[in-house]
Amino acid sequence: MKHSNFPIVAIGGLGGSGTRVVAAALQSFDYNIGTRLNVPLDNLWFTVLFKRRAWTVARPDPADVRSSISLFQRATVSGLNGNINKTEQDLITTLCADLHPHGNWKPGATTMDAESLIASTQSLVPANVPWGWKEPNTHLFLPYLDAEIPNFHYIHVVRNGMDMAFSKNTWQMRH
């Protein structure tokens, strides 16, 4: 799916590594990193589609990953509202049922994020605007993303371990 001549840029790394700073920098270069973002600037549509409970216990089927990439890219570039088949609709509905507050899976996205994915409309990212996303777990899907998205670029952020060793931020260590 060709959208523009700009590279499609994804940012990933471990939580607390500084991915938010890199995402903010990308935004300062007029990149659209999504419309459904949390405070750390994670793209929650990516979270809905790729942080699945089932994928934490079993390796995902490559066809399912490719389908998620297609859904994510189409939602971002042209919207899914009126542009989604029954199988895709059923998948998102199933993922939605598992998310908070209806389900007990809490990957950072909620049912409202899944519903906004289904309702996404055209012109979220105009053809002349560069786009990308930030979601720390992007690195888990790099071979698929690279194969499926033309002009794909990835930035992996690694924080100096000494910063983390002496930081009062222990969230990552506890999780």
mmCIF file of all heavy atoms in Angstrom, residues 12 16 37 39 42 59 69-70 82 91 96 117 119 132 136 159 168 173:
data_model
loop_
_atom_site.group_PDB
_atom_site.id
_atom_site.type_symbol
_atom_site.label_atom_id
_atom_site.label_comp_id
_atom_site.label_asym_id
_atom_site.label_seq_id
_atom_site.Cartn_x
_atom_site.Cartn_y
_atom_site.Cartn_z
ATOM 1 N N GLY A 12 10.448 1.646 18.624
ATOM 2 C CA GLY A 12 10.239 0.626 19.627
ATOM 3 C C GLY A 12 11.420 0.506 20.564
ATOM 4 O O GLY A 12 12.436 1.183 20.408
ATOM 5 N N GLY A 16 10.288 2.636 29.126
ATOM 6 C CA GLY A 16 11.212 3.390 29.957
ATOM 7 C C GLY A 16 12.540 3.676 29.286
ATOM 8 O O GLY A 16 13.436 4.266 29.876
ATOM 9 N N LEU A 37 -3.576 7.867 20.889
ATOM 10 C CA LEU A 37 -2.313 7.759 21.612
ATOM 11 C C LEU A 37 -2.559 7.872 23.109
ATOM 12 O O LEU A 37 -3.461 8.599 23.530
ATOM 13 C CB LEU A 37 -1.354 8.880 21.195
ATOM 14 C CG LEU A 37 -1.069 9.044 19.700
ATOM 15 C CD1 LEU A 37 -0.213 10.273 19.461
ATOM 16 C CD2 LEU A 37 -0.404 7.807 19.133
ATOM 17 N N VAL A 39 -0.620 8.700 27.005
ATOM 18 C CA VAL A 39 0.316 9.732 27.459
ATOM 19 C C VAL A 39 1.751 9.444 27.006
ATOM 20 O O VAL A 39 2.452 10.355 26.565
ATOM 21 C CB VAL A 39 0.218 9.925 28.996
ATOM 22 C CG1 VAL A 39 1.304 10.855 29.505
ATOM 23 C CG2 VAL A 39 -1.164 10.446 29.374
ATOM 24 N N ASP A 42 2.147 5.953 22.853
ATOM 25 C CA ASP A 42 1.980 4.656 22.194
ATOM 26 C C ASP A 42 0.763 4.713 21.291
ATOM 27 O O ASP A 42 -0.285 5.239 21.683
ATOM 28 C CB ASP A 42 1.746 3.539 23.221
ATOM 29 C CG ASP A 42 2.928 3.325 24.143
ATOM 30 O OD1 ASP A 42 4.064 3.580 23.721
ATOM 31 O OD2 ASP A 42 2.706 2.897 25.292
ATOM 32 N N ARG A 59 3.293 -18.678 19.760
ATOM 33 C CA ARG A 59 3.785 -17.909 18.616
ATOM 34 C C ARG A 59 2.626 -17.616 17.665
ATOM 35 O O ARG A 59 1.849 -18.508 17.336
ATOM 36 C CB ARG A 59 4.851 -18.700 17.889
ATOM 37 C CG ARG A 59 5.479 -17.979 16.720
ATOM 38 C CD ARG A 59 6.622 -18.774 16.196
ATOM 39 N NE ARG A 59 7.621 -18.853 17.242
ATOM 40 C CZ ARG A 59 8.903 -18.589 17.059
ATOM 41 N NH1 ARG A 59 9.344 -18.271 15.882
ATOM 42 N NH2 ARG A 59 9.742 -18.668 18.059
ATOM 43 N N ILE A 69 -1.131 -6.299 10.281
ATOM 44 C CA ILE A 69 -0.380 -5.220 9.620
ATOM 45 C C ILE A 69 -1.268 -4.528 8.600
ATOM 46 O O ILE A 69 -1.329 -3.305 8.529
ATOM 47 C CB ILE A 69 0.912 -5.760 8.966
ATOM 48 C CG1 ILE A 69 1.891 -6.206 10.048
ATOM 49 C CG2 ILE A 69 1.542 -4.704 8.049
ATOM 50 C CD1 ILE A 69 3.075 -7.004 9.527
ATOM 51 N N SER A 70 -1.983 -5.315 7.808
ATOM 52 C CA SER A 70 -2.889 -4.738 6.812
ATOM 53 C C SER A 70 -3.965 -3.883 7.472
ATOM 54 O O SER A 70 -4.235 -2.760 7.029
ATOM 55 C CB SER A 70 -3.537 -5.853 5.987
ATOM 56 O OG SER A 70 -4.519 -5.319 5.130
ATOM 57 N N GLY A 82 -16.302 1.071 6.652
ATOM 58 C CA GLY A 82 -16.746 0.782 5.288
ATOM 59 C C GLY A 82 -15.689 0.093 4.457
ATOM 60 O O GLY A 82 -15.895 -0.154 3.267
ATOM 61 N N LEU A 91 -12.537 -10.351 14.025
ATOM 62 C CA LEU A 91 -11.274 -10.368 14.753
ATOM 63 C C LEU A 91 -11.209 -9.202 15.745
ATOM 64 O O LEU A 91 -10.916 -9.401 16.934
ATOM 65 C CB LEU A 91 -10.087 -10.278 13.791
ATOM 66 C CG LEU A 91 -8.742 -9.985 14.465
ATOM 67 C CD1 LEU A 91 -8.314 -11.129 15.373
ATOM 68 C CD2 LEU A 91 -7.682 -9.665 13.450
ATOM 69 N N CYS A 96 -11.600 -6.916 21.108
ATOM 70 C CA CYS A 96 -12.286 -5.915 21.928
ATOM 71 C C CYS A 96 -12.896 -6.557 23.170
ATOM 72 O O CYS A 96 -12.815 -5.999 24.273
ATOM 73 C CB CYS A 96 -13.355 -5.225 21.091
ATOM 74 S SG CYS A 96 -14.232 -3.908 21.933
ATOM 75 N N LEU A 117 -10.795 1.962 16.267
ATOM 76 C CA LEU A 117 -10.106 1.338 15.133
ATOM 77 C C LEU A 117 -11.117 0.958 14.053
ATOM 78 O O LEU A 117 -10.943 1.290 12.876
ATOM 79 C CB LEU A 117 -9.341 0.114 15.625
ATOM 80 C CG LEU A 117 -8.600 -0.736 14.611
ATOM 81 C CD1 LEU A 117 -7.459 0.046 13.982
ATOM 82 C CD2 LEU A 117 -8.075 -1.998 15.265
ATOM 83 N N ALA A 119 -14.073 2.186 13.654
ATOM 84 C CA ALA A 119 -14.760 3.397 13.173
ATOM 85 C C ALA A 119 -13.832 4.374 12.462
ATOM 86 O O ALA A 119 -14.281 5.437 12.024
ATOM 87 C CB ALA A 119 -15.438 4.096 14.351
ATOM 88 N N GLY A 132 3.923 7.271 10.912
ATOM 89 C CA GLY A 132 4.612 6.187 11.591
ATOM 90 C C GLY A 132 3.911 5.933 12.907
ATOM 91 O O GLY A 132 2.767 6.348 13.105
ATOM 92 N N PRO A 136 6.402 0.310 22.093
ATOM 93 C CA PRO A 136 7.623 -0.398 22.465
ATOM 94 C C PRO A 136 7.748 -1.818 21.920
ATOM 95 O O PRO A 136 8.840 -2.254 21.582
ATOM 96 C CB PRO A 136 7.583 -0.391 24.001
ATOM 97 C CG PRO A 136 6.862 0.871 24.321
ATOM 98 C CD PRO A 136 5.793 0.971 23.249
ATOM 99 N N ARG A 159 18.066 2.480 26.442
ATOM 100 C CA ARG A 159 18.493 3.418 27.470
ATOM 101 C C ARG A 159 19.740 2.874 28.167
ATOM 102 O O ARG A 159 19.874 1.671 28.390
ATOM 103 C CB ARG A 159 17.379 3.607 28.489
ATOM 104 C CG ARG A 159 17.667 4.701 29.481
ATOM 105 C CD ARG A 159 16.414 5.061 30.220
ATOM 106 N NE ARG A 159 16.668 6.105 31.177
ATOM 107 C CZ ARG A 159 15.753 6.590 31.980
ATOM 108 N NH1 ARG A 159 14.519 6.121 31.927
ATOM 109 N NH2 ARG A 159 16.038 7.534 32.835
ATOM 110 N N LYS A 168 14.754 6.097 40.200
ATOM 111 C CA LYS A 168 13.682 5.754 41.142
ATOM 112 C C LYS A 168 12.490 5.140 40.404
ATOM 113 O O LYS A 168 11.558 4.650 41.010
ATOM 114 C CB LYS A 168 13.246 7.000 41.909
ATOM 115 C CG LYS A 168 14.322 7.513 42.854
ATOM 116 C CD LYS A 168 13.787 8.601 43.730
ATOM 117 C CE LYS A 168 14.803 9.277 44.602
ATOM 118 N NZ LYS A 168 15.953 8.605 45.026
ATOM 119 N N MET A 173 11.087 -2.815 36.162
ATOM 120 C CA MET A 173 11.640 -3.904 36.956
ATOM 121 C C MET A 173 10.521 -4.720 37.622
ATOM 122 O O MET A 173 10.574 -5.937 37.669
ATOM 123 C CB MET A 173 12.567 -3.342 38.037
ATOM 124 C CG MET A 173 13.208 -4.413 38.897
ATOM 125 S SD MET A 173 14.287 -3.728 40.150
ATOM 126 C CE MET A 173 13.125 -2.882 41.204
#
